[in-house]
Amino acid sequence: MQFGNNKRVADLSRYCRNRVAIGNPNIDLPRSALNLAAALGDIDYVIPITDGAVDLVYYARDNIKTTILGPPFSSLQKAKNKLAAISLVAPWLKAPPTSLVPPNGDISGIEFPCFAKPIFSSHIVDDRLIGTSVSFVKTANELERKIRDTPVPLLIQEPISGPGAGINFASYQGQLLGVSVTERLHEPGYGGGSSYRRSGKVTDLIIEVASGLSAALEWTGVMMIECKRHDGELYLMELNCRPWGSFNLSLFAGADYPTLVLNAFQGMGTGKLVVARENVFARHLKKDIGWVLRNPQKLFHWLASFRMVFSGAEQFDVERLSDPLPGMYQFVTAVGPLYSKAVLRLPHRTERHAIDVSKGVVFICKGNVNRSVVAAYVANQLGIPAKSGCLLTRSDRRASIEVERYIEGTLGTSAAGHRTTVLERAISGAENVVVFESRHVNEVRRRVPRHKVFLLSELAGESGDVADPDGRSSDVYEECFRRITDLVRKAFG
């Protein structure tokens, strides 16, 4: 089961019996939950494998008959909270220097650069599932934007150096079933999953940490304690409460966590603690090719590392002789973004007749924090009932600081109450969509084909795009907003 309709690599696996799209919970969580319940039907067990899927499955837990191979809801809530996680592992692990910044909180005294981590990786707001992300911020302005874009408090952490490592385990009702260690060998930099890893030694300390945390949470299911190894010690980054990106490494090293948890659920006993073998290697080939392209100076080291394949110590995450299609298709999907960009840049066709404002107008830009907000406020002042929305599936963000200042200073009103709305929700009750860039015309037509799409500059009798000012200087913001104001007045005044 998946949120969108796009084909995934796993869909082509010989082990995938069926593929069901359950809708986008970022737009309509209750509907996605109903679709999930119908899709599960009489399936016995479900294992959510992403943060969003975890939230969706537990949101729908009272309406599904399927057993969730996961922890009690109360335990999950504790482990998902990144601030609470620091306290949970404090008996065994350190954490980087950390402070908490609530929405609209004071950021004076914060040193840059730093990491800004939402305390939840995903969060339910007004029946929508909102995903969040960790950001490496270098300035106060970047942090202010991050705070405004994030619907939950942020943890501010000092960067620490060192390779990534993971303490992985499976347990049942607080009893440890299996444990392994992941050592990251090829990493993308700040944040993101590794493409090449090795199973490390499971020491007495590792077992103590895994068993202690499992017992404290009365945990059922799998977990990865994501860490960095700095000056010989492990520092907590976060807890992953679902299967993680390097999950296959543990399987290759002899720790079959899904089977261990399923057997425990079925009353087949927990048995002896399973400890993964050391010095087993796993590689995500597609991502690792990307890694060496970013690090060409390590090409010979990279080529030499493939000797582990021939010695039998390494396996690939996706490629299998017995299941070849996923391995081939993942490289086909690498062409997809290039194709999509090319399609979006094809000559666009906008409506050539006059816009009928009585049928509603929605201004759409990428993020609904700058251009579309200004356009909608200007149109409303002209007596045009206009709304705004975004192409990104990120709801409930505030307008940028620059927009709020411009609207208050130039239009004499306040945009403090603005919150971003996804395209599919924003068009409710409106027939006309106005965009700022020609490449967005084709994207809007693809997503909402029944709506009329106009380019703002063409409506005003001009031509060309209005570029996104995001991240530019204050002068660029001002120039952009003034041009939008002029165009909207020409088009609708």
Side-chain angles (χ1 to χ4, degrees):
M1 282 169 284
Q2 59 193 43
F3 291 167
N5 290 310
N6 294 333
K7 184 178 288 187
R8 306 296 202 274
V9 168
D11 297 340
L12 278 73
S13 172
R14 60 184 291 195
Y15 303 107
C16 180
R17 289 173 47 195
N18 194 15
R19 171 178 175 266
V20 180
I22 58 174
N24 190 342
N26 303 111
I27 298 173
D28 192 339
L29 181 58
R31 181 179 293 275
S32 293
L34 290 175
N35 292 341
L36 172 67
L40 287 173
D42 57 357
I43 292 176
D44 296 321
Y45 300 98
V46 61
I47 303 175
I49 61 172
T50 66
D51 293 315
V54 169
D55 277 345
L56 174 61
V57 167
Y58 278 86
Y59 176 86
R61 66 189 183 281
D62 293 333
N63 297 315
I64 61 176
K65 300 177 182 178
T66 304
T67 299
I68 304 170
L69 293 185
F73 182 68
S74 58
S75 299
L76 177 66
Q77 291 302 98
K78 292 177 185 177
K80 280 181 53 183
N81 187 314
K82 293 182 176 67
L83 182 60
I86 294 174
S87 298
L88 285 169
V89 303
W92 312 282
L93 302 175
K94 293 182 177 180
T98 302
S99 58
L100 180 68
V101 177
N104 303 318
D106 181 17
I107 64 171
S108 61
I110 292 177
E111 295 185 2
F112 298 95
C114 64
F115 281 103
K117 293 184 176 182
I119 62 170
F120 298 111
S121 296
S122 62
H123 188 59
I124 296 174
V125 178
D126 296 333
D127 286 334
R128 292 193 296 279
L129 184 61
I130 308 298
T132 65
S133 61
V134 177
S135 296
F136 182 65
V137 296
K138 301 176 182 178
T139 66
N141 283 340
E142 288 182 10
L143 181 55
E144 286 177 354
R145 289 194 179 97
K146 180 67 176 178
I147 292 171
R148 295 167 71 86
D149 286 352
T150 307
V152 297
L154 290 173
L155 294 185
I156 305 301
Q157 291 188 333
E158 293 182 16
I160 61 170
S161 60
I167 301 173
N168 320 305
F169 66 87
S171 58
Y172 180 69
Q173 296 181 350
Q175 181 176 350
L176 194 63
L177 304 176
V179 61
S180 60
V181 171
T182 299
E183 295 178 353
R184 293 183 168 193
L185 302 179
H186 294 169
E187 298 185 274
Y190 284 122
S194 60
S195 57
Y196 190 44
R197 326 113 192 154
R198 173 179 59 209
S199 60
K201 183 177 181 180
V202 177
T203 63
D204 290 341
L205 174 61
I206 297 298
I207 294 176
E208 182 183 347
V209 174
S211 60
L213 182 58
S214 176
L217 288 168
E218 298 181 334
W219 193 256
T220 290
V222 300
M223 178 182 286
M224 176 191 198
I225 308 173
E226 187 174 340
C227 304
K228 272 193 176 295
R229 198 178 295 276
H230 176 73
D231 289 342
E233 296 189 88
L234 289 173
Y235 283 73
L236 174 71
M237 295 292 104
E238 64 180 23
L239 302 180
N240 287 318
C241 305
R242 38 72 184 168
W244 46 94
S246 57
F247 194 75
N248 276 349
L249 177 60
S250 296
L251 299 178
F252 300 155
D256 186 348
Y257 293 144
T259 299
L260 290 173
V261 175
L262 179 61
N263 287 345
F265 260 96
Q266 294 179 334
M268 298 173 64
T270 55
K272 183 180 177 181
L273 176 66
V274 174
V275 176
R277 299 190 305 276
E278 188 179 358
N279 288 326
V280 174
F281 296 77
R283 190 189 307 261
H284 191 292
L285 184 57
K286 176 185 166 185
K287 290 182 179 179
D288 211 42
I289 291 173
W291 178 87
V292 76
L293 290 176
R294 292 189 301 273
N295 299 274
Q297 73 279 10
K298 298 184 178 180
L299 175 61
F300 292 109
H301 156 81
W302 184 74
L303 292 172
S305 69
F306 281 89
R307 70 186 185 279
M308 297 298 175
V309 177
F310 302 104
S311 70
E314 177 182 322
Q315 296 191 49
F316 295 113
D317 286 355
V318 183
E319 290 78 13
R320 297 281 189 284
L321 289 176
S322 59
D323 191 20
L325 289 182
M328 292 187 288
Y329 184 68
Q330 69 168 337
F331 289 98
V332 174
T333 60
V335 182
L338 300 177
Y339 171 78
S340 297
K341 289 180 180 179
V343 168
L344 291 177
R345 283 168 170 75
L346 289 175
H348 66 279
R349 180 180 62 84
T350 55
E351 306 297 332
R352 292 303 177 186
H353 50 77
I355 188 170
D356 185 353
V357 296
S358 67
K359 294 184 178 180
V361 177
V362 181
F363 292 95
I364 296 293
C365 65
K366 180 180 178 181
N368 194 208
V369 295
N370 288 307
R371 295 169 291 177
S372 57
V373 186
V374 171
Y377 271 81
V378 174
N380 287 332
Q381 284 200 337
L382 295 173
I384 307 298
K387 301 185 294 183
S388 64
C390 58
L391 296 171
L392 298 178
T393 56
R394 297 179 63 186
S395 300
D396 294 296
R397 297 192 297 161
R398 293 179 60 180
S400 69
I401 299 172
E402 291 79 7
V403 163
E404 290 192 0
R405 289 171 179 166
Y406 180 81
I407 288 176
E408 183 175 356
T410 304
L411 304 182
T413 186
S414 173
H418 170 80
R419 295 296 182 271
T420 58
T421 306
V422 175
L423 168 66
E424 287 77 2
R425 274 180 171 258
I427 60 173
S428 176
E431 184 177 297
N432 306 294
V433 178
V434 180
V435 298
F436 301 83
E437 299 178 55
S438 56
R439 66 192 179 103
H440 290 164
V441 173
N442 291 330
E443 181 170 355
V444 172
R445 285 193 178 284
R446 177 179 62 82
R447 288 170 60 173
V448 288
R450 296 182 181 180
H451 285 68
K452 297 176 181 178
V453 187
F454 301 84
L455 188 66
L456 177 60
S457 61
E458 292 179 354
L459 279 176
E462 300 183 13
S463 63
D465 294 342
V466 181
D468 191 351
D470 189 55
R472 308 288 294 277
S473 69
S474 58
D475 289 341
V476 173
Y477 276 96
E478 181 78 14
E479 181 181 352
C480 173
F481 298 157
R482 290 196 179 280
R483 186 179 181 215
I484 290 172
T485 301
D486 290 341
L487 291 174
V488 172
R489 288 173 175 168
K490 287 181 181 179
F492 298 97

